[in-house]
Amino acid sequence: LFSASSIEPVSIPIERRMKTFDRLISAPISLHAVVLGESLSGFLYSIGIAFVPLIAGLIIFGTPIASFVPLIIGILLTSFCFATMGTLFAAYPTESPGDIMSMLNLVRLPLIFISGVFIPIASLPSIGQIVSYISPLTYGNDLIRSAYQGHTHFNPFVDIAMLCIFILFFQVLQTSYTNDGMNKGSGFSKNQVACRSCYTKVTVTITEARYNIEQNSLNNININEEYFVSLCFTDVGSCLGGSASSTPSV
C-alpha cells in the first residue's frame, strides 16, 4: 500500500518542477502510455519491496505457505492497484510532493483499519463491513491471506475481479484528470475560417501554451492572431494571407 503509492506522488511533482514532465507529455506517445509508465514505476518498486520480507520469511523463519498462486496474484494486482492510485493523486497540479502526500495519507491510513489487516472483516461492526467493501486493500489483503491460511473471506475470483476494477477505475480517472490539467495550459482552440493565415494560429497557440506552462498559469491567456496581420505592420500584410516569414519578428 505505502510503497506502491509513494513513488509517483514524489517523482511527478519533481518532474513538473524540472519541466521534464511537460516534455514527456508533449512527446509523440499517447497520454495513456505516459500514465501507465508512471504507474509501472511504483509497481516495480513495490514488487521489490514486497519480495524482501517474503523471501526472509521463507528462508529465515520457515513461514509455511498453503498456496503460491493466490500469493503471487495478490502481490501483483495489489501493487499495481495502489501504484495507479498513487499516480491518480499525483495528477494534482503541484510541484510540491508534500501537497500530494498529505492528501494521500488521509486515504491510505484509514484503509489499514477498515480492510481486515488488523481486525478481521467479520469482527467489524456492520457499518465497518460495508465501508470495507469499497477499499481495494480489503481484496488484496484477503487474497494474500488465503495463501497462508488456505481460506478467504470472499471468493478468490471476487478478490481478483474487484482489484482489476479498481485498477481500471484509477487508470481511467487519472488519465482524464491529467488530460484536464494539460488542457489548462494548452491555449485556446483556433479556427482560421477564411483568413488563410494559418501560420499565425500556430505561432499564437505555441506562444500561449509556452507562457501557461512556464508561468504555471491555470487561466489561459488568449493572444489575438490579428495582431500578427495588423495593418500597423505594413511588412506583414493582411488577414488574406500575410507574410509568414515576417510574422515571427513581430
Side-chain angles (χ1 to χ4, degrees):
L1 167 60
F2 282 88
S3 60
S5 58
S6 295
I7 296 300
E8 300 85 359
V10 174
S11 64
I12 293 181
I14 294 177
E15 289 174 0
R16 288 197 188 98
R17 187 186 310 163
M18 303 298 294
K19 304 304 179 184
T20 56
F21 188 74
D22 297 329
R23 300 188 189 99
L24 183 62
I25 60 179
S26 64
I29 54 178
S30 69
L31 181 59
H32 290 284
V34 173
V35 172
L36 180 61
E38 294 286 354
S39 299
L40 286 176
S41 64
F43 168 71
L44 294 176
Y45 176 78
S46 178
I47 291 298
I49 295 296
F51 274 97
V52 171
L54 175 62
I55 295 175
L58 290 173
I59 297 177
I60 300 176
F61 301 102
T63 305
I65 297 179
S67 176
F68 278 94
V69 175
L71 178 63
I72 299 300
I73 295 177
I75 291 176
L76 294 178
L77 289 180
T78 305
S79 297
F80 191 59
C81 180
F82 285 106
T84 56
M85 188 182 79
T87 310
L88 172 60
F89 277 85
Y92 179 75
T94 181
E95 296 180 356
S96 173
D99 294 340
I100 299 176
M101 296 300 290
S102 59
M103 295 186 298
L104 185 58
N105 285 332
L106 289 176
V107 176
R108 295 190 301 186
L109 292 176
L111 289 183
I112 298 177
F113 299 99
I114 65 170
S115 303
V117 176
F118 299 118
I119 304 174
I121 296 177
S123 301
L124 292 174
S126 299
I127 185 64
Q129 294 184 25
I130 295 175
V131 174
S132 69
Y133 296 155
I134 61 175
S135 167
L137 183 59
T138 297
Y139 305 99
N141 177 65
D142 189 49
L143 196 59
I144 294 175
R145 278 181 179 273
S146 69
Y148 292 95
Q149 299 176 354
H151 61 85
T152 60
H153 181 80
F154 304 101
N155 187 293
F157 292 104
V158 173
D159 292 330
I160 294 174
M162 290 303 298
L163 286 172
C164 291
I165 291 174
F166 276 110
I167 290 173
L168 182 61
F169 173 74
F170 290 146
Q171 187 75 15
V172 172
L173 191 60
Q174 66 187 302
T175 301
S176 175
Y177 190 37
T178 302
N179 187 55
D180 290 342
M182 291 169 54
N183 290 337
K184 289 181 179 178
S186 60
F188 288 84
S189 298
K190 308 298 178 181
N191 183 3
Q192 64 173 329
V193 195
C195 185
R196 301 204 306 274
S197 302
C198 58
Y199 59 89
T200 64
K201 311 295 180 180
V202 175
T203 304
V204 167
T205 301
I206 293 176
T207 302
E208 290 173 350
R210 180 74 178 181
Y211 176 86
N212 291 327
I213 291 174
E214 292 295 334
Q215 300 298 321
N216 195 25
S217 175
L218 298 181
N219 298 318
N220 289 346
I221 62 169
N222 187 13
I223 303 175
N224 195 335
E225 293 79 2
E226 293 179 359
Y227 177 83
F228 293 98
V229 289
S230 171
L231 294 178
C232 296
F233 304 95
T234 56
D235 58 337
V236 173
S238 68
C239 189
L240 297 178
S243 173
S245 60
S246 300
T247 297
S249 62
V250 174

